[in-house]
Amino acid sequence: MLKRCCLAILSMLLCACVAGVEQRGMQGDAYVSTARPNISLQAKDMPLITAGEGTAMPSASGALGGLPTRVWIAVYGKPEPTAPLAIVAHAELPEGWYWDGSLRRPFSVDESVEVLGGIEFQACTFLVDTPKDLLGDIVARRGGGGETPTRWLVRAFAARQNFTLAKLILEYREPAPAEFADLPYLPMGQGDTLTAFERRARDSFAVGPASTGAPIVRHGLPDGLRWRYMDEKFLGTASRFDPLGR
């Protein structure tokens, strides 16, 4: 009897442990993390192009050869060459490091705080050139080899999570308007053009708590991404914790 009771208790403990295991991956077309943070991220009204996970090596002071950073990412967009694209990503640093508090991108404009799904994201708008971009190959292969945009207008959202160890990154992209084609970066004060674009960006994502009602599928390295550009320009900068508080 005692042996059976012990086995029953052990079985319950094992089940509890399994139920509490943190899961990350795709649940349908949504990226889901069941803990730290508990989140579901998805682009609205866009089919999933690719999704997966891998280790990036962004540059960081004191990290020789790069900082090994676990990244889960999903890319969305219709097949037409000029259709918008969207990215959701979750990046987690190794222990002993933290994401820096400034989440803006270089040469960005219209910095603000946006609330999506009850989470405060730092947001900014900037330009990205296709030849040196994470999505360059995905852009090139859309539309059956027809003419593709060489420059994109991007609205990015970023939020630190799990005591600054993790970061959520959302990007919404449209082909850059002609007036921005030859500019090195966005000028300030573009008024209605950027206001309308940023509204579309804000409305293009579904952010909410993770659901436990469907299985989570884990993926390998996503197809078609230029992983060499999964660097500090996309992920942002990080610093090492100083236990002495210096």
Side-chain angles (χ1 to χ4, degrees):
M1 173 64 78
L2 180 60
K3 184 177 180 180
R4 285 199 300 269
C5 289
C6 290
L7 289 174
I9 293 171
L10 180 60
S11 178
M12 287 188 291
L13 289 173
L14 288 173
C15 289
C17 290
V18 170
V21 168
E22 183 175 283
Q23 296 187 68
R24 290 168 179 166
M26 300 302 294
Q27 195 174 71
D29 285 347
Y31 167 74
V32 169
S33 169
T34 61
R36 295 180 299 169
N38 180 287
I39 197 78
S40 172
L41 304 171
Q42 182 176 4
K44 300 178 185 175
D45 303 320
M46 295 186 200
L48 181 67
I49 296 174
T50 188
E53 60 182 280
T55 300
M57 299 293 288
S59 297
S61 179
L64 187 62
L67 182 61
T69 304
R70 190 78 176 275
V71 180
W72 294 261
I73 186 168
V75 181
Y76 302 83
K78 296 179 180 179
E80 293 78 16
T82 57
L85 291 165
I87 298 171
V88 303
H90 177 190
E92 188 172 69
L93 295 170
E95 292 290 340
W97 293 81
Y98 65 93
W99 292 109
D100 293 329
S102 176
L103 308 182
R104 69 180 297 274
R105 302 293 182 89
F107 307 110
S108 60
V109 300
D110 289 5
E111 297 171 37
S112 65
V113 174
E114 303 268 12
V115 180
L116 305 176
I119 298 174
E120 289 189 354
F121 288 83
Q122 291 186 28
C124 60
T125 302
F126 52 95
L127 294 168
V128 162
D129 293 321
T130 298
K132 295 183 179 180
D133 181 50
L134 183 69
L135 303 188
D137 291 343
I138 288 176
V139 170
R141 71 189 187 189
R142 292 202 305 172
E147 185 175 351
T148 58
T150 58
R151 172 166 277 196
W152 294 81
L153 185 60
V154 182
R155 182 69 167 171
F157 307 83
R160 298 189 297 173
Q161 297 282 299
N162 191 21
F163 305 102
T164 71
L165 187 68
K167 180 188 284 189
L168 304 177
I169 300 169
L170 311 176
E171 282 193 4
Y172 174 79
R173 301 178 171 206
E174 291 180 2
E179 61 263 34
F180 300 145
D182 298 321
L183 298 179
Y185 48 85
L186 284 171
M188 298 291 291
Q190 289 302 301
D192 293 343
T193 297
L194 292 188
T195 298
F197 166 74
E198 289 160 5
R199 183 174 59 252
R200 291 192 295 274
R202 183 172 56 252
D203 294 340
S204 66
F205 294 100
V207 179
S211 169
T212 57
I216 295 176
V217 179
R218 296 177 181 273
H219 289 271
L221 200 66
D223 178 51
L225 293 185
R226 294 175 174 174
W227 202 256
R228 64 187 179 277
Y229 294 119
M230 185 71 78
D231 56 15
E232 63 280 0
K233 293 179 182 178
F234 176 79
L235 296 171
T237 60
S239 299
R240 191 191 297 274
F241 276 112
D242 185 342
L244 300 179
R246 292 172 298 184

